Amino acid sequence: MREVHIAGAAVHPFGKSRGKTAADLGYDAVTRLLTTTSIGPDLIDVGYCGSSYGGSLLAQRVLQRVGVSGQPVYTVENACASGASALHLAWQAVASGAADCAVAFGTENLSGFGGGALPLTTNDIEIELGLVMPAAYAMRAQRHLHDFGATEADLTMVSIKNRRNGAANPRAHFQAEVSADQVENSRPVADPLRLLHCCPNSDGAAAVLVCSSDLAREIGTPTVRIRASVVRSGRFHTSYRDMTWPDITARTAEAAYEMAGVRPSDLDLVELHDAFSIAELLHAEALGIAARGKAHRAIADGEFDRDGRVAVSPSGGLLSRGHPVGATGVVQVCETYWQLTGQAGRLQVPAASVGLTHVTGGGIYGVDNGACAVHILTSD
Amino acid sequence: MTSPLRVIGADRVDIEGDQVSLLITRCLDCASSWFPAREQCSRCGGTRVDGDRISGQGTVYASTTVHIGAGAFPTPYALSYVDVEDIRLLAHTRSVRPLAPGTPVVLVLGEVGADGTGALWSYVAVPRTDGEVA
Ligand SMILES: [Zn+2]
């Protein structure tokens, strides 16, 4: 397998973009990417688009507008891991030698669905009984609090930290801090989760340029290396399941650590799939950056702050940046690219050289999640 | 003349009176249990499977009250994951408050919502003491 690098990143800011389609948002991000890397469309061998709700042939509808037409392009659907799955396929193409240069992007417009919980897959025995994603995470939260002694105040601390981080991020949907009072008095969604324990449905897009070592040198932009790129699906069964231990995250991360030759203690920053505040506790433990049942302690002690032991979601995470489903896995990598190349500005984690990104999602019965992706990036 | 109840998941369970038992599948090769019942084991892929019927007595694993929901269910409504023998399933909960983990429950037939056509029923978790519905 060849070394694979990221030689550029670009984002259409997350938030509400009612007048723009997913294709418009993706076009904006890809155009910014080609401008910032000063490359032409002919250099791109293959393109991958991640999106859950953008519709058929979205990759073509975006890439042909910038002159990438004729090349193979693909639209990838893997729920919240759609964008990261697109990146994984781009990594495969370059690592295998099938391509020297690939563009991976994710784009989504969720404004069209209005407010409330997103529509989930139909013909599912849990969804037909009224299960929504906040309720699924709420039950994990109830059990985690029950088993490990964390409290609702610990969930609130996750929201406060990530909203504080995102307040400095010009690409974030929410760029304002929140107080404990605001979180605790926000509207109940699914006990014990309140509105400010949940990420917003957002519109947005993100793109990265993935290339070989030779081409990265030729392009001459700052680069990071992809040390690991791993996607896993949920293990399906209908028996007892420990819902405080997201097995899909643990399996994906373990494979990524092995591929990268990196340990959890080597990480300077993690962009984590905090779709709900409880998710940061569950996944931090499964990623191995906190001991089992102790993630709430790490947060209370400031270990996940931007200047802490390992910065968790220094960009603000999903709670602040928002969650345009298919774009999230790519924007995490964009944010980490800027961190590892020293371009993160007010978000900069001091001396960051090793970062991990994590997305997991997809609500279907019988699995933790439908799909999970982990990438490990280093500054050289 | 009364029309038959519309029961969500009616094909997954046996209903006698208001008592609900689960129709499950056991794999003869790898001993996995499945609900709803299926013709093929989704662990080992084998097709040597037997149908079984188990009582609706179980234990709450986790529970929540949903305030912003979906579908035909008036909010707030409570959902629980319930362990019945080695099966984990989601069910509505008769009380609006969440049930504590470890609460013994029994699954009974109950009304859970309504759509334009009328009431919708399903299996519903109710706390029990010594096998009796509380
Ligand atoms: Zn089997």
Side-chain angles (χ1 to χ4, degrees):
Chain A
M1 299 263 252
R2 301 195 299 173
E3 289 185 11
V4 181
H5 304 265
I6 292 176
V11 172
H12 180 290
F14 286 14
K16 293 294 180 196
S17 298
R18 284 195 180 79
K20 294 180 182 174
T21 64
D24 294 334
L25 297 167
Y27 169 71
D28 179 275
V30 171
T31 300
R32 290 175 197 235
L33 179 69
L34 298 187
T35 303
T36 188
T37 53
S38 302
I39 68 158
D42 291 346
L43 205 61
I44 293 168
D45 298 315
V46 59
Y48 300 93
C49 166
S51 186
S52 260
Y53 300 97
S56 179
L57 298 181
L58 186 54
Q60 280 89 336
R61 286 184 278 136
V62 170
L63 292 173
Q64 68 195 15
R65 283 166 72 176
V66 301
V68 178
S69 60
Q71 294 100 314
V73 302
Y74 305 88
T75 304
V76 181
E77 198 285 314
N78 234 348
C80 307
S82 296
S85 296
L87 173 59
H88 174 71
L89 295 173
W91 168 83
Q92 275 190 3
V94 174
S96 71
D100 285 321
C101 184
V103 63
F105 69 102
T107 183
E108 210 82 71
N109 181 304
L110 301 180
S111 290
F113 293 105
L118 280 180
L120 292 172
T121 318
T122 49
N123 299 322
D124 182 287
I125 64 164
E126 294 185 344
I127 292 162
E128 73 177 9
L129 284 171
L131 185 71
V132 289
M133 275 316 266
Y137 270 95
M139 285 187 272
R140 293 173 201 187
Q142 189 213 35
R143 188 73 200 201
H144 189 278
L145 302 190
H146 174 268
D147 286 0
F148 298 113
T151 65
E152 292 174 33
D154 292 311
L155 302 179
T156 296
M157 290 192 72
V158 175
S159 300
I160 292 171
K161 170 180 73 73
N162 291 351
R163 289 292 296 265
R164 185 170 61 232
N165 286 346
N169 186 348
R171 296 168 293 276
H173 187 154
F174 293 142
Q175 298 176 28
E177 298 192 22
V178 291
S179 67
D181 269 359
Q182 283 174 287
V183 179
E184 285 160 10
N185 292 311
S186 63
R187 181 178 173 191
V189 173
D191 300 338
L193 302 180
R194 292 175 174 273
L195 189 61
L196 293 182
H197 294 127
C198 306
C199 70
N201 296 338
S202 311
D203 311 322
V208 290
L209 193 72
V210 181
C211 59
S212 64
S213 301
D214 286 349
L215 196 64
R217 262 190 300 277
E218 203 176 301
I219 294 169
T221 52
T223 63
V224 300
R225 189 167 154 199
I226 302 178
R227 296 280 179 167
S229 175
V230 177
V231 176
R232 292 286 185 269
S233 62
R235 280 208 175 125
F236 178 64
H237 65 81
T238 60
S239 299
Y240 174 86
R241 178 184 300 277
D242 182 346
M243 291 179 172
T244 68
W245 181 252
D247 160 77
I248 189 171
T249 291
R251 286 185 292 113
T252 312
E254 188 180 10
Y257 289 133
E258 189 182 339
M259 183 184 288
V262 159
R263 293 163 304 179
S265 58
D266 296 327
L267 300 172
D268 298 308
L269 69 112
V270 170
E271 287 289 339
L272 182 148
H273 195 80
D274 57 335
F276 303 92
S277 51
I278 179 62
E280 180 157 320
L281 306 185
L282 301 177
H283 297 302
E285 293 171 15
L287 290 170
I289 57 172
R292 187 79 197 272
K294 297 278 193 268
H296 61 292
R297 296 280 178 77
I299 291 163
D301 293 343
E303 294 178 25
F304 291 177
D305 288 354
R306 185 173 290 134
D307 58 356
R309 173 170 60 83
V310 49
V312 177
S313 298
S315 70
L318 281 64
L319 287 169
S320 177
R321 198 180 52 232
H323 185 30
V325 178
T328 289
V330 181
V331 82
Q332 292 179 327
V333 171
C334 293
E335 296 286 356
T336 304
Y337 169 82
W338 288 316
Q339 289 284 356
L340 301 182
T341 55
Q343 304 179 77
R346 290 170 64 203
L347 305 177
Q348 188 66 49
V349 173
S353 64
V354 186
L356 179 149
T357 67
H358 160 261
V359 281
T360 186
I364 52 175
Y365 89 96
V367 296
D368 287 335
N369 278 138
C372 179
V374 169
H375 286 85
I376 296 175
L377 311 172
T378 61
S379 54
D380 57 18
Chain B
M1 181 180 147
T2 56
S3 53
L5 296 182
R6 293 188 306 143
V7 179
I8 301 170
D11 55 340
R12 310 197 271 268
V13 296
D14 253 2
I15 300 167
E16 283 176 44
D18 71 344
Q19 296 297 299
V20 173
S21 39
L22 306 179
L23 301 175
I24 70 164
T25 296
R26 296 194 197 279
C27 177
L28 299 177
D29 289 321
C30 78
S32 298
S33 301
W34 298 94
F35 174 82
R38 53 192 51 227
E39 292 171 353
Q40 180 174 25
C41 174
S42 296
R43 175 158 174 244
C44 72
T47 52
R48 294 191 337 113
V49 296
D50 259 354
D52 199 357
R53 197 177 75 155
I54 60 176
S55 91
Q57 295 203 2
T59 307
V60 171
Y61 176 78
S63 181
T64 185
T65 297
V66 181
H67 300 273
I68 301 178
F73 312 105
T75 54
Y77 59 90
L79 297 173
S80 299
Y81 278 116
V82 178
D83 289 320
V84 179
E85 297 189 15
D86 56 347
I87 293 293
R88 163 79 49 86
L89 77 156
L90 182 80
H92 274 259
T93 303
R94 185 181 279 168
S95 67
V96 169
R97 288 189 303 115
L99 299 174
T103 304
V105 291
V106 60
L107 298 172
V108 301
L109 186 65
E111 194 174 331
V112 295
D115 61 14
T117 309
L120 289 164
W121 297 65
S122 192
Y123 39 88
V124 169
V126 178
R128 67 181 154 88
T129 48
D130 302 317
E132 299 289 316
V133 175

